[in-house]
Structures are given as C-alpha cells and as structure tokens.
C-alpha cells in the first residue's frame, strides 16, 4: 500500500505468488514498473490506498512502509489496508517517530529539517528532485560514512544522525531524501499512538521492532 518506486516490492515479489502494488502517483508507478520489469507476478494499481479496489479478505500479507504518515486521513487508510487482509494475516508498517523521549538537540534538528522540508516540498518537481539529490550527497552520505567509521572502531554509531544509512547505497539515500523532504504532509507518532492506530484498524498481537528506524511494527488482522 503505497509502493512508490518499488524499492521494497522488488524484495517481496520473488517471495510471493502475486504482489499487488498500489500507489496514487502515476509517476511512481512508472518507475515501479521499471524496477519490477523482470517479475511476472506483479499487478499495479493507480489508486488511493484509502479506497483500494482489491477485494476485502483477499490478501495473505500486506505492508505499508513509510506511507501512512503522509496520508491526510491515516486512520481511514490503515482501516482500508487491514480490510483487504484475510483474518489472521499479518500487516507490516513503518511510521515516523515523534521523538517523544529524544533530547533537545535532536528535537532542534527535527525542527530545522521540518523547516527545510516545508520549502523544498513546494518547489517545482525538477528542482525538488535536484535539491533532494544534493541533500543525499552532502548530508546523508557524509554522516552515513562517519557512522560506518565509528562502528568499525568498535563504538556505537546510534548517537549520530542518519546512522541507519551506514550500510545503504547512495541510491537509497537519494530515494529517502526525496521522500523525507519532497512531501508536504508529514505526521509523527509515539509508540502508544501507533499501537492505538493499528488496533483500531483491526490488528491484534502488535509487535514493535526493538531497533531503528522507529516505528516498525507488525500485527495480525483479528479473526
């Protein structure tokens, strides 16, 4: 739900019988089609994830990674996704962390990033992509490589911004920089809010990943 350029779908497609890639952006789906060109078991749907045409109770597994926090009605979108699952089927999500227990420095950095995003997201498409690429190269890449060095000398890199990219490619950084700075709407959630959101959408047995990024969670549709 919200497949974007097919970054995650490329990993899921070889592991399933049929994969439905749903996104409201025709441009994103065009890229996803190229990304998944070698997969014959993928269907693409140009649709809002809050009103998908897939039959209810039809899917064995679902995921929405880094999408629901960009949707105006997150609760409706979550319920729509869960409704497509068979009872007992798992649903995997990633929602932005609200820094509820972070220090003043990290909160100040978030405020700065939010201000930059507000400007970048309103630029023309070509400029928006160029700025996102520049941010990936001059911000993401140096910090990621610094975190890798810190890790190699036996220290914990988790205190460094963007340390989770220390083993990621520049392509991933470019994609995530565009997602981070190119979207006008962004919501953030505490762990308790994510749990409430997922349970109200119809999931049970929700489990959270212990490590970053936060919040990654999986639950099963109630029987």
């Amino acid at each position: 739900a919200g497949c974007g350029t097919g970054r995650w779908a490329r990993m899921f497609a070889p592991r399933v019988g049929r994969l439905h890639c749903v996104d409201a952006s025709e441009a994103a789906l065009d890229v996803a089609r190229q990304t998944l060109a070698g997969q014959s078991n993928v269907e693409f749907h140009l649709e809002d994830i809050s009103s998908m045409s897939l039959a209810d109770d039809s899917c064995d597994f679902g995921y929405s990674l880094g999408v629901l926090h960009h949707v105006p009605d997150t609760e409706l979108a979550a319920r729509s996704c869960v409704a497509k699952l068979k009872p007992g089927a798992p649903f995997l999500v990633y929602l932005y962390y609200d820094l509820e227990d972070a220090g003043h420095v990290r909160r100040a950095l978030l405020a700065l990033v939010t201000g930059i995003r507000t400007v970048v997201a309103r630029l023309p498409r070509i400029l928006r992509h160029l700025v996102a690429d520049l941010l990936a190269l001059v911000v993401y890449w140096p910090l990621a490589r610094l975190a890798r060095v810190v890790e190699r000398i036996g220290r914990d890199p988790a205190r460094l911004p963007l340390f989770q990219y220390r083993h990621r490619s520049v392509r991933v950084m470019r994609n995530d920089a565009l997602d981070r700075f190119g979207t006008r709407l962004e919501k953030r959630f505490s762990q308790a809010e994510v749990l409430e959101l997922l349970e109200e959408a119809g999931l049970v047995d929700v489990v959270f990943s212990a490590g970053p990024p936060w919040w990654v969670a999986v639950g099963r549709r109630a029987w």
Side-chain angles (χ1 to χ4, degrees), residues 15-37:
R15 294 172 168 82
V16 299
R18 181 150 302 278
L19 181 66
H20 296 279
C21 290
V22 183
D23 204 283
S25 168
E26 189 168 4
L29 282 182
D30 286 343
V31 177
R33 289 187 181 96
Q34 296 174 25
T35 302
L36 297 158

Side-chain angles (χ1 to χ4, degrees), residues 146-160 163 166:
L146 175 61
R148 181 186 287 186
V149 171
V150 169
E151 184 179 53
R152 283 178 175 174
I153 63 175
R155 305 295 294 274
D156 182 8
R159 293 183 176 274
L160 294 172
F163 76 96
R166 63 193 183 280

Side-chain angles (χ1 to χ4, degrees), residues 91-108:
F91 185 61
L92 175 68
V93 297
Y94 165 48
L95 290 157
Y96 280 162
Y97 168 45
D98 70 351
L99 275 67
E100 58 185 326
D101 56 358
H104 295 297
V105 173
R106 291 183 67 188
R107 288 183 175 275

Side-chain angles (χ1 to χ4, degrees), residues 193-207:
E193 288 171 337
V194 173
L195 178 61
E196 181 181 6
L197 170 71
L198 298 181
E199 290 182 339
E200 290 189 354
L203 296 181
V204 296
D205 303 327
V206 176
V207 178

